[in-house]
Amino acid sequence: MTTANKITIFRFILVPVLVVLMYLDQIYWALAVFIVASLSDTLDGYIARHYDQVSDFGKFMDPLADKVLVLSAMTMFVEWHAMPAWVLIIVLVREFAVSGLRLVAVDNGRVIAAAWSGKIKTTVTMVGIILMMAIGIPRGVEWLNTTVWILIAATTLYSGAEYFIKNKDVLSFQ
């Protein structure tokens, strides 16, 4: 098993730790876990590309680990009433839709690479979650929480639309 894949597995292991800490209202410990997990995403990607450790396991598990991490934190925000459920639903629908589009594309012999808007969406989401955990929720800064979830919803909708517009030929309506 490669170093990059071990880091990805480590990120998966951090998810239940994050959720338990959030349930126990240990927000700053949860924040530390989220930051470590988020940075591990950057690290495993760098190691995989730089040291030629790209693998099918990593191609599948790395984005899955990211989604599970982010969706877990956002689900807790909904439970805490710090984020409306419809924002989480937008994120879930976009992830399922883009994954489905990629599956259809692969079935037709085509690979849809990650778009820059998707990378921006991921960055906005992860930084936003960090800001909510560090400042917005513990200090009750509602305008910050609202700004974050609006930015998450906007970048999610934009990146999802871009995937479908740029790859509309993948879906034939015959």
Side-chain angles (χ1 to χ4, degrees), residues 41-122:
D41 178 40
T42 304
L43 180 63
D44 72 10
Y46 172 79
I47 290 171
R49 285 184 299 278
H50 190 73
Y51 294 102
D52 196 29
Q53 294 184 8
V54 175
S55 67
D56 289 338
F57 177 86
K59 288 178 191 175
F60 174 72
M61 294 302 282
D62 180 65
L64 183 60
D66 297 341
K67 288 170 183 49
V68 171
L69 174 70
V70 165
L71 291 170
S72 295
M74 289 178 68
T75 301
M76 289 302 301
F77 291 164
V78 170
E79 183 167 314
W80 290 344
H81 305 287
M83 177 181 286
W86 62 263
V87 175
L88 177 60
I89 292 167
I90 286 172
V91 173
L92 282 166
V93 169
R94 184 256 185 217
E95 296 304 337
F96 281 122
V98 170
S99 294
L101 179 67
R102 284 188 161 134
L103 285 173
V104 172
V106 165
D107 196 42
N108 293 318
R110 183 165 153 195
V111 174
I112 298 176
W116 273 104
S117 64
K119 294 179 186 300
I120 291 168
K121 172 208 58 99
T122 300

Side-chain angles (χ1 to χ4, degrees), residues 131-149:
L131 288 172
M132 285 180 72
M133 291 173 82
I135 302 166
I137 293 170
R139 296 196 179 122
V141 184
E142 292 302 318
W143 68 265
L144 176 64
N145 294 340
T146 302
T147 302
V148 166
W149 57 255

Side-chain angles (χ1 to χ4, degrees), residues 29-46:
W29 284 109
L31 171 62
V33 168
F34 189 87
I35 290 170
V36 168
S38 297
L39 291 174
S40 77
D41 178 40
T42 304
L43 180 63
D44 72 10
Y46 172 79

